[in-house]
Amino acid sequence: MFLLSPINAHKLIIFLEFNHYPSNMKFTTTIAALLIGSASAFTGSAPAARSSSTALNLAVGETAPDFALVDQNGKTVKRSQIKKPLVVYFYPADATPGCTVQAQSFNEQVKDIRKTFGAELVGISGQDVESKQAFASELGLDFSILADEGDAVRKAFGVPRAAFGLFPGRVTYVLDKDGACQTVYDELADAASHVEVAKESLSELKGASKKGASSPLGAIFGR
């Protein structure tokens, strides 16, 4: 039986995903589990640092960190200046299969997100502005994707790594108009599901806002 060391197994999975083969992330993750598991049987348990934490530093009810990042059009987007509900989705990398599906899914729904819920949308990953320009141009994106070089904003949000720590996590946060976190959705494999979860959260937020505004106290305090 052919075995790989944990380090080489990690390199192989990264090669498979970022070279677009295969495009099914569930298949890729399964390979990771099999390879790392078989290698660990001969090398001992992997250090604790190899196991990615699923704990999210930004919890529901907490205020999201502020950030100012440049998008594909050279525009600086500052979180605290967006005075409306905001969907912030972190994705692993531009132009990879899952991230392409996710961006296309959000792009198909961005007009509805704006019109129906009065919300805005941004995507964030660690590649530079030039990469963002190429990715956005290829897909015709109608929303900002932001260059988080050095992953400072990803770290500020506490986005966990995925697939045994092999990949940057794919996590969507829905924030209210004051920046308070309403929903956290962590799902690497099913990239297309993020947009539906975001819309469900925005719908609930809109309903709660209407209910609050209709009450006497809501009318007084503008909530």
Side-chain angles (χ1 to χ4, degrees), residues 184-203:
V184 179
Y185 183 60
D186 181 2
E187 171 58 47
L188 178 66
D190 190 358
S193 66
H194 284 250
V195 66
E196 292 306 321
V197 171
K199 289 181 68 176
E200 288 173 8
S201 178
L202 289 171
S203 179

Side-chain angles (χ1 to χ4, degrees), residues 3 9 11 16 23-24 33 41-42 92 96-97 99-100 119 121 124 129 138-139 164 168 176 182 184 202 207 211 219:
L3 297 172
K11 290 179 178 179
L16 289 172
S23 61
N24 188 324
F42 288 87
T96 56
C99 299
T100 297
L121 164 71
I124 301 177
V129 172
E138 179 184 358
L139 300 183
F164 307 96
D176 69 11
Q182 305 300 302
V184 179
L202 289 171
K211 184 177 179 180

Side-chain angles (χ1 to χ4, degrees), residues 20-176:
H20 296 197
Y21 178 83
S23 61
N24 188 324
M25 283 295 298
K26 290 182 179 178
F27 179 72
T28 305
T29 304
T30 300
I31 293 176
L34 292 173
L35 290 176
I36 295 172
S38 63
S40 297
F42 288 87
T43 60
S45 300
R50 287 197 186 280
S51 300
S52 63
S53 171
T54 57
L56 295 168
N57 290 343
L58 179 64
V60 170
E62 294 181 342
T63 299
D66 198 11
F67 59 79
L69 296 173
V70 178
D71 73 1
Q72 70 270 27
N73 299 312
K75 174 186 175 182
T76 297
V77 176
K78 187 173 177 64
R79 203 261 319 147
S80 59
Q81 292 180 349
I82 301 174
K83 304 300 183 181
K84 59 180 69 177
L86 178 64
V87 177
V88 181
Y89 82 90
F90 289 86
Y91 61 98
D94 298 331
T96 56
C99 299
T100 297
V101 168
Q102 185 177 26
Q104 289 173 326
S105 298
F106 271 116
N107 203 45
E108 290 169 359
Q109 298 295 325
V110 68
K111 289 183 180 179
D112 189 43
I113 287 173
R114 290 169 178 154
K115 182 177 179 180
T116 303
F117 305 111
E120 194 49 79
L121 164 71
V122 296
I124 301 177
S125 73
Q127 293 70 52
D128 60 20
V129 172
E130 184 177 357
S131 176
K132 296 283 171 282
Q133 290 171 341
F135 189 39
S137 176
E138 179 184 358
L139 300 183
L141 298 184
D142 190 31
F143 62 91
S144 291
I145 50 174
L146 310 179
D148 184 24
E149 295 184 72
D151 292 328
V153 176
R154 179 179 285 271
K155 292 172 185 175
F157 272 71
V159 181
R161 295 187 68 81
F164 307 96
L166 295 172
F167 303 110
R170 188 190 310 282
V171 181
T172 293
Y173 301 87
V174 179
L175 314 178
D176 69 11

